[in-house]
Structures are given as structure tokens and as C-alpha cells.
Amino acid sequence: MTTSRLEAFSDGVLAIAITLLVIEIRPPELHQGERLADALWTQWPSYLAYLVSFLTIGVIWLNHHRVFTQVIRVDGPLLLLNLHLLLWTGLIPFPTAVVAEHLHGGGEAARTAAALYSGVLLLTSVAFGALFVWVTRDDRLLGRLPPAGVIRAARRRFMLGLVVYAAAFALSWLSAGAALGLCGLMALYYAFDQASVPAAVDPVGRS
Amino acid sequence: MTTSRLEAFSDGVLAIAITLLVIEIRPPELHQGERLADALWTQWPSYLAYLVSFLTIGVIWLNHHRVFTQVIRVDGPLLLLNLHLLLWTGLIPFPTAVVAEHLHGGGEAARTAAALYSGVLLLTSVAFGALFVWVTRDDRLLGRLPPAGVIRAARRRFMLGLVVYAAAFALSWLSAGAALGLCGLMALYYAFDQASVPAAVDPVGRS
Amino acid sequence: MTTSRLEAFSDGVLAIAITLLVIEIRPPELHQGERLADALWTQWPSYLAYLVSFLTIGVIWLNHHRVFTQVIRVDGPLLLLNLHLLLWTGLIPFPTAVVAEHLHGGGEAARTAAALYSGVLLLTSVAFGALFVWVTRDDRLLGRLPPAGVIRAARRRFMLGLVVYAAAFALSWLSAGAALGLCGLMALYYAFDQASVPAAVDPVGRS
Amino acid sequence: MTTSRLEAFSDGVLAIAITLLVIEIRPPELHQGERLADALWTQWPSYLAYLVSFLTIGVIWLNHHRVFTQVIRVDGPLLLLNLHLLLWTGLIPFPTAVVAEHLHGGGEAARTAAALYSGVLLLTSVAFGALFVWVTRDDRLLGRLPPAGVIRAARRRFMLGLVVYAAAFALSWLSAGAALGLCGLMALYYAFDQASVPAAVDPVGRS
């Protein structure tokens, strides 16, 4: 098993999961005398859920790629840990659809939807954290172990995700909106954090 | 982050988005005594929407590839700008489905559907334009900055898209058909404009 | 535009189209007192349509790959002709779903479904034939023009597809079953014809 | 036909099939006064089916890759045998959806769903076994034939799958749960068996 094949398969799953999000946004059916513009506005939780989930899976892809550019060996546990990460990431369209359908009604349904959503993101970040700890445990899978400070900083960043998603999960029993807002902020933070990485010359060249 | 990985992920999302368009064309359900042939003809907005959206995403792919053959470095803002472009492109199946379902009825629903459709294409072309401006700002991300005249011509071509999609958006309040026709013409123009690029020898050779 | 990028995008669209076929086979809903086993048998047109369409798209992929291993240059018209081929191939899940839903009832609906199905396959083979004629017109896009006899034989094979799908289209007004059977036989013929190609050493080596 | 193209297409189909599993898990519709949390729990067969099918397709991908790292030549029968494997693997989302919908009711429907599920997995493993026998028949498709003991052990592992899936198929007439449990255990066994392969240095290096 080479890292390039592992990355290609993972990229495929992540690209499909991010693109499947759109099929959960359904064209609204109009009731008697209803205007389409109103019906479209009513679906705002669908758009919001699409946005947050798109950003979240996009950031997972960026992070996945960043980790695997360091990896030069793949062992059995890494294969399983990666499949485990894809299992939770590939599930994200489901809680996204539940939020899209049930956020609007408010009450128990909205809070449960938010709990399901932040719960799946929490498990996704646990899965990613486990993979990262395995990879950086020693230098067996890496060409060269990065400086301890860099690894500690990266682990702290993973830990931050764990804590924030756990907080969102807890918060969802109080306010569905606050819980989902926290998930959205987390994705934004990771996206801009990634964007601060300096430009790297493509080692392979244009293909 | 290498350009080849960025291209592979983007190609994946674009290939999936273009292929997902078909699942919005549903087999018609027949009412009592209705002929299937008639029911299939009634669905013409679905076929038209498939055609225009297929061409539009196909052209985005061609353009995306053309831009990235010049890029040799990827920086953080480019990652975000590319994700932003994929966010809007990946959304296109949704307005396509709305047009397919609501164009036929005419009136407010048809006009709103056309506005949604051309609005999403407008935002897609804004996203692509922003990416292009970032890439061609100076020679940091390009191996060699193309002659200023070439960049100006390419920016004019992006600007044309912005203006035409904005016109289609405005036009949709008057006539849904005219707005969608304009979107279709734009895709055709870009397609044939792309086709006028001279043949290039594959630098990598057959893989 | 390199052939490797063109092939990667086309492979993506074909892999997605072939895999999307399955989502048209729905789990049956049981009526009062109905056994699931009976309900599953009743859906045989879905399974048949899946089989024929899977084989057809699989053969298109094999053929597409065989043609593009010869191509070393991509020009504008080839880009458009390839997008045109993907447009029809990507549409195949739709007539597949129509056949799955309407073959069983017989009568006008079954015949119209068969006509739609063989009609889309006919247009797909026209699109592939046009691409092939463009590619083999002279040696501008090929590294080396194959012997005239080889090209003639390949064009005859494309022509056979055109004639058979046109016959299936005509036949569908008499018998839906016969028309679809002909489409199935055509796919089988192409599959075994492809399989007779001698083994080739991978020029790139294992990646 | 090169092995790299065959692998890329197969990877695409497997990545899409594994990711499509999620669209069979639908957001529940609430009846009057029903709590979303209760409705979500009621869907446990959907989650279980997602888990088992995800693991099964994941293991097929790992195995597929392991076999093809040895293959350096592709001949016609291998193309067809591979397409045949993809045909059954690509079908897995359908029995998964049937199990998700009908396991809960119990009785004939649950047993038939389990029989369909284990039957499709049985045919998938027959297809994979046939491909493996063809590849390892002699050294025409392999760079170097592995020691006879290694091939015998690998064939025994395939044979184990055949026997277990056949047992699950037979068992499904007695107990749907036991049959599905057996399928799940089989996937877990294969997953951890794969994971015991020692780490391999990536021959291509990071791409």
C-alpha cells in the first residue's frame, strides 16, 4: 500500500462527500398560492448546513493532505485509522440533511438535530486526532520527524477541535443555533489557519 | 499543498457535480391514461437545464485546468479561493433542479427559478474571477508571468461573464426564458472560445 | 490541456455515471400483506436495466481508454467532442431509470421507455464515432497514425454500433423487450471484443 | 490498457460506492408528537447497514489494491473479471438500503432482506475469487509469481469468505440478525487481517 494510493482513495471519498451535500437541498414544493421566492427563503437552514458542512469537509481535506505530505510509509493500523476517519466524514451528509429538515421547527427536533450534527463532527475529529497521534508517535511512518514543537502545536490544534465540538455537542441541549454557530466558527478558524501556511513550490511540477 | 493535488481534488468535485446533474431528471409518474411519451415531453425544462448546466460546469473545468497549467505555487489564499469556487460550482445542481421543476409553470415561480439559477452562476463567475485576479496579481504563484496583453484579454473574458450573468439575473424578472437563454449562450460562447486554443503537446506523455 | 488531464476527468465522469446507476434501484415498498421476496422479483426490469447500462458504460470506458492511449495531442474540437460524449454518457442513468419504472407495465409506456433508452445509446455512439473520426482524420493528434487497415476495422466496429442501436430504436415500436435485448447483446459483443485485445505491458510501471 | 488506469477507474468506482452508502440514510419524518431523538433511534438498522457495508467495501478496496500491486500486465479476461467485480460491488448500496428499510419489521421481510444482502456479498466474493485465480494462475500477468505457499494462503483467505457468506445466506432463513452479524464479523476479520501487513515504503515517493 503506497501513500499515493491511500491519498487518491481518500481524496475520492472526500470529493464525493463534499459534492453529495448538494443533493440534500431539494427544490421546494409549492403549496396552493405560495410564492417560490418565499418557499426558497424558508429553506435557509439547508443553505446554512450546506455552507458549514462544505467548509468542514474542505478543511478535513486540507488537513488530510497536509498530514500525508509528511508520511512516507503506510502500515496496517494507519489503513484502519484512515478508513475510520472516512467512515465518519462520509457520514456528514446525513446529519447535514437532518439539520436542514429539522432546525427550522425549533424545540426538541432542532436541538436533537444540532446534537447529532455536532456529535458526528466530534467523532470525526476524534478519528482524525487518533490518526494524527499514530502518525507522529515516532519516526517510523515519517521521512523525518518534525521538531517536537511543531508536533505539539499541531496536536494542540487537534485538541482545540475536540474541545470545541464537545462544547457544541453540550450546547445543543440549550440552543441549536449556538451549537451550529460554534461548528461554523470552528470550520472558519481552521480554514484561515490553513490559509496561513506559506506557499510551497510543487515538488512534482505541473502534471 | 501541491498544484497536482489541488487539481485532482478540484477535478473530482467538478466531475461529480457534472454527473450528479442527471439524478435531478426523474422518470415521470404517469397519471391515469397518460402516455409516457407525452409525460416525457412535458419534462423539457429538465433536459434544457441539464444541457446548460452540463455545458457550464464543463467550461468551468476547462477554464480551471487552463489557469492551473500556469500555476506552480499554491498559497493559503489560493486554497480558500479555490474552495470558494468549488462551493458555488458544487451548488449548481440545486438551481438546476429548481429550474427543471418550476420553469414550466411560468409566472413568479419561473422567474424566481431563473433568478436563482443566473444568480448562482453570477456568484460562481465572481468566485472564479477573484481566483484569477489573485493568481495573476504578480509572478509569485506563476512560473513566468504571461505578457500583460494576454492577462488583460483573459480578465476581459472573465469580466464578460460577470456582465452577462448579471444581465441574465436582471432579465429574469422580465422573462425566465430570456434569462436562461442568455446563460446557455454564455456557456456556448465559452465552450467555442476554449476550443479555439491551439493543440498542445502533452508534456507528460501518455500515462 | 494534456491528454492525462482529459482522461482523468473523463474517467471520473464515467466512474461516477456507472456507480450512480445503483441509486435508481429503490428498495420496494410493501403493500398490505405483500411479501418482500415477491416485491423484489417484481423489480426485475430494474436489475436488467442496471446490468445492461453497467456493461454499456463499462465498454465505453474501455473504448475511451483504448482510443486515448494513441492520442498525444489535444485540440479544441477534441475537447468539445469529448465533452459531447460525456454529456450523453452521463445521461444514461436517466433512460435506465425510465426503463426500470415503465418496462413492466408493457404497452405504450414500455415501448416509449425502450425507444428513449436505445435512442440515448444511439446518440452516445454517434458522439463516440464523431470523436473517433476527428482523432483518426490525420496524424496531427496521434503520435503515429496506425495502419489504414486498423483504422478501417475500428471505424467498422463503431459503424456496427450505430446500425445496431438504430435498429434497436426502430424495433422499440414493435417490442420493447427485443429492443432492449439488442442493446444488451451489443454491450456483450463489445465487452468480449475488447477482451480479445492481447495483454500489454504497463509502460509506466506500477504506481 | 495499463494497470494504473485500471486501478484508477476501480478506485473511482469503489470510492463512489462507499460514499453513496450515506444517501440511503434518510432524515426521519416525524409523525404527530413524535420526538426526533426517538425517530433517529428507530433507524438503527440504517446505521448498522452503513457500518457493515462501509467496512466491506473498504476491505474490498484494500484487497483490490493489494492484488494489483503485484500485477504488471492486463489482459482481456482480467478487464472483464474486474468489471464483473465492480458490477457486484457497485450494487452493494441497494441491498444495504433494503436491509435498512426492512430489517426492523422482522419476519419474512427481514429474512429476505438479509438473504439479499448476504447473497450479493457472496456473489461479490465469488467475483473477487475468480479474478484472483485468473491473476495467480501463472506468471503471465505478474512480474514475479509469489511463492506457492503465499498464493495458497491467499486463496484460502478468499475461500473462507465464500464459505462464510454462503453460511450467512443459508442462515438468513433462520435469523436475519445472525446472518448480518456474520457479514459484519467477516468484514472485521478481513480489516484486521489486512492491518497485519507490515509497513511498506512507498516506491513512488510522495506525489
Side-chain angles (χ1 to χ4, degrees), chain A residues 165-181:
Chain A
Y165 289 127
F169 184 68
L171 203 58
S172 61
W173 268 273
L174 296 174
S175 158
L180 293 170

Side-chain angles (χ1 to χ4, degrees), chain B residues 7-8 11-12 14-20 22-23 25-30 34-38 40 43 47 50-51 54-55 57-59 61-62 64-66 68-69 191-192 194-207, chain C residues 1-9 12-14 16-17 20 23-24 26 65 68-77 79-80 82-84 86-94 97-98 101-102 108-110 112-113 116 140-141 203-204:
Chain B
E7 285 178 283
D11 274 8
L14 294 174
I16 298 156
I18 210 172
T19 322
L20 277 182
V22 74
I23 71 174
I25 317 184
R26 306 304 314 151
E29 302 198 4
L30 297 187
E34 192 183 13
R35 296 175 67 241
L36 178 59
D38 296 335
L40 285 170
Q43 289 194 143
Y47 315 138
Y50 173 77
L51 186 69
F54 194 98
L55 207 56
I57 300 180
V59 162
W61 171 71
L62 289 176
H64 190 273
H65 182 64
R66 201 200 255 188
F68 275 86
T69 49
F192 283 98
Q194 288 281 354
S196 67
V197 178
V201 179
D202 184 347
V204 177
R206 272 164 284 138
S207 66
Chain C
M1 174 63 56
T2 63
T3 66
S4 49
R5 290 303 300 276
L6 187 64
E7 286 178 282
F9 183 73
V13 171
L14 294 174
I16 298 155
L20 277 182
I23 71 173
E24 302 296 355
R26 306 304 315 152
H65 181 64
F68 276 87
T69 49
Q70 313 285 336
V71 172
I72 60 163
R73 280 184 195 78
V74 177
D75 62 1
L79 284 179
L80 290 194
N82 190 62
L83 208 55
H84 181 233
L86 295 180
L87 179 106
W88 292 110
T89 315
L91 190 59
I92 290 178
F94 168 60
V98 172
E101 191 151 316
H102 293 289
E108 185 269 341
T112 301
L116 177 72
R140 291 198 311 115
L141 303 182
V204 178

Side-chain angles (χ1 to χ4, degrees), chain D residues 1-16:
Chain D
M1 175 62 56
T2 63
T3 66
S4 49
R5 290 302 301 277
L6 187 65
E7 286 179 283
F9 184 73
S10 306
D11 274 9
V13 170
L14 294 174
I16 299 155

Side-chain angles (χ1 to χ4, degrees), chain A residues 125-141:
Chain A
S125 78
V126 168
F128 210 152
L131 184 150
F132 187 74
V133 167
W134 182 258
V135 161
T136 56
R137 194 184 26 133
D138 53 37
D139 61 358
R140 289 198 313 114
L141 303 182

Side-chain angles (χ1 to χ4, degrees), chain B residues 150-179:
Chain B
V150 171
I151 294 188
R152 262 200 310 275
R155 288 193 180 176
R156 258 200 307 274
R157 222 177 299 120
F158 274 109
M159 193 51 74
L160 177 69
L162 282 185
V163 170
V164 169
Y165 289 126
F169 184 68
L171 203 59
S172 62
W173 269 273
L174 296 174
S175 158

Side-chain angles (χ1 to χ4, degrees), chain A residues 1-5 9 16-17 20 24 69 71-76 79-80 83 86-87 90-91 94 97 102 108-109, chain D residues 7 11 15-16 19 22 25-28 35-37 40 50 54 61-62 65 191-192 195 199-203 206-207:
Chain A
M1 174 64 55
T2 62
T3 66
S4 49
R5 290 302 301 276
F9 184 74
I16 299 156
L20 277 182
E24 304 295 356
T69 49
V71 172
I72 60 162
R73 281 182 194 79
V74 177
D75 62 1
L79 284 179
L80 291 194
L83 208 55
L86 295 181
L87 180 107
L91 190 60
F94 168 59
H102 293 289
E108 184 269 342
Chain D
E7 286 179 283
D11 274 9
I16 299 155
T19 320
V22 75
I25 315 183
R26 306 304 315 150
R35 296 175 67 242
L36 178 59
L40 285 170
Y50 174 77
F54 194 97
W61 171 71
L62 289 176
H65 181 64
F192 283 98
V201 178
D202 184 349
R206 272 163 286 137
S207 69

